[in-house]
Every structure is written in structure tokens, then in C-alpha cells.
Amino acid sequence: MKNIEMEACLIIEEIYKEYYSVIFRYIICRIKCKHDAEDLVQDVFVHLLDYDKMLQKSTIRSFLFTITRNIVIDYLRCYYRKQEMVSYAYENVIESTCEPEKEIIAKDLLTIERMKLNTFPQQRKKVYSMSRFEEKNIYEISEELQLSMSTVENHLFTGRKIMRNYIRMCI
């Protein structure tokens, strides 16, 4: 029994070294967040450990990508569910109030947003402000700041995520 477990650990170690970067690229292409992608890659290999008694060299590659695909799908479902909940909560707060209250809430949220924006790193602050307040798209921002489009996307993704979480805590 120990011999089978040792063999499975050696297979997993070998697969980890061989496929880490491939799995990481696969995940990052789908979720666009480096930190979450690194966590998900680790989750893939942790899940692989659960199946150590079933592992065979001939089938491990397809098994690995099946696990990866399922983990990415679960992550995206959770991510979009959270987005829906936040937007639903925000809309309900605005819709359940009368017109003067809506204006006050909107001004308060804008004030909160600007205060949190001042805590962002300089580059992220510029990118977020240009997108949010100047209504510029990723291409325009990347041209103006002379950054790659993927850098701008990463700043926007991270900035929006931080801002949503902060506003969610304030509501």
C-alpha cells in the first residue's frame, strides 16, 4: 500500500513540475487575475492528491485538465454570483428610497468611492479614474498612459474588485 502511495506522490511531483506553467496559463486566460490564478493552480494539485490511488501516468494529463476546467467553472460561477448579489443589493437600496434620498445615497457612495480611490497606488488610481470618471476605454487609457492593454485590464480588474468589496462593507 505504501508503495502505491509513494508512486502516486512521485507522479504528482513530476506532473506538478511539468504542468504548473501550462495550467497557470490556462487559468489566467480565463479569469485574468494573477493572484486568484495562482491559488486555483494550487487547488488543482491539491484536488489531484485526493485521487492519488487512481492516478496512472497514461491518464493523468486529461484528468488534470478536467480538474482544472471544473475548478475554473466553479470559480467563475461564484464570482458572477457575487457580482449579481452586489448589484442587486445596490439597486434595491436605490429603488427603495424616494428621489431626494437617492441623490443623498448616490453622493455618499461617490464620496466613499473617492476616499477609497485615494488609497490606491498611483498607477491604479489613474487607470481607475480615467475609466470610471472620464469614461475612457482600455485602449484609450493604455495609449494615454503608455501602458500595455493587459496592464490596464489588470489595474481595472483589481481596482474594481477592491472598490466593490469596500462599498459592500459600507452598505
Side-chain angles (χ1 to χ4, degrees):
M1 191 64 138
K2 293 236 182 221
N3 192 24
I4 294 172
E5 289 175 7
M6 282 300 292
E7 185 177 327
C9 286
L10 290 173
I11 290 172
I12 291 172
E13 181 182 350
E14 183 180 315
I15 292 299
Y16 182 85
K17 291 175 183 174
E18 185 176 345
Y19 286 100
Y20 180 89
S21 61
V22 174
I23 298 295
F24 178 76
R25 286 193 307 268
Y26 175 87
I27 293 173
I28 197 79
C29 285
R30 282 148 183 81
I31 68 169
K32 308 287 190 235
C33 178
K34 181 182 177 190
H35 300 293
D36 288 347
E38 289 170 346
D39 290 343
L40 291 178
V41 172
Q42 295 302 317
D43 289 348
V44 168
F45 288 100
V46 167
H47 275 69
L48 199 59
L49 288 171
D50 293 339
Y51 300 100
D52 62 343
K53 290 175 181 60
M54 298 173 28
L55 296 179
Q56 296 176 5
K57 262 196 166 207
S58 60
T59 60
I60 197 161
R61 185 176 190 275
S62 59
F63 192 56
L64 185 66
F65 279 99
T66 301
I67 291 171
T68 303
R69 186 190 74 225
N70 290 339
I71 284 177
V72 168
I73 289 170
D74 290 346
Y75 172 86
L76 291 173
R77 280 185 187 140
C78 183
Y79 174 79
Y80 288 118
R81 194 175 312 121
K82 285 179 186 176
Q83 298 297 87
E84 287 177 23
M85 289 172 55
V86 169
S87 66
Y88 177 77
Y90 179 75
E91 288 170 7
N92 283 344
V93 166
I94 296 298
E95 289 175 7
S96 67
T97 59
C98 61
E99 202 59 42
E101 287 180 66
K102 285 182 186 178
E103 290 178 24
I104 292 170
I105 291 171
K107 286 179 183 176
D108 287 346
L109 287 174
L110 185 60
T111 302
I112 289 169
E113 182 180 18
R114 289 190 186 272
M115 284 174 35
K116 183 63 177 175
L117 186 60
N118 287 330
T119 66
F120 282 11
Q122 190 63 31
Q123 196 75 322
R124 184 171 299 139
K125 182 178 177 179
K126 284 180 189 176
V127 169
Y128 184 90
S129 295
M130 291 171 78
S131 173
R132 171 77 168 94
F133 302 115
E134 298 174 29
E135 297 179 3
K136 293 186 177 182
N137 62 34
I138 293 171
Y139 178 77
E140 293 169 333
I141 296 169
S142 68
E143 288 292 313
E144 189 171 322
L145 297 179
Q146 297 180 347
L147 298 170
S148 71
M149 289 179 64
S150 61
T151 301
V152 172
E153 287 174 343
N154 286 336
H155 279 302
L156 277 176
F157 179 82
T158 305
R160 289 174 178 160
K161 183 178 178 181
I162 291 168
M163 194 62 75
R164 274 191 302 273
N165 289 336
Y166 183 73
I167 290 176
R168 187 179 308 133
M169 288 187 326
C170 293
I171 294 179

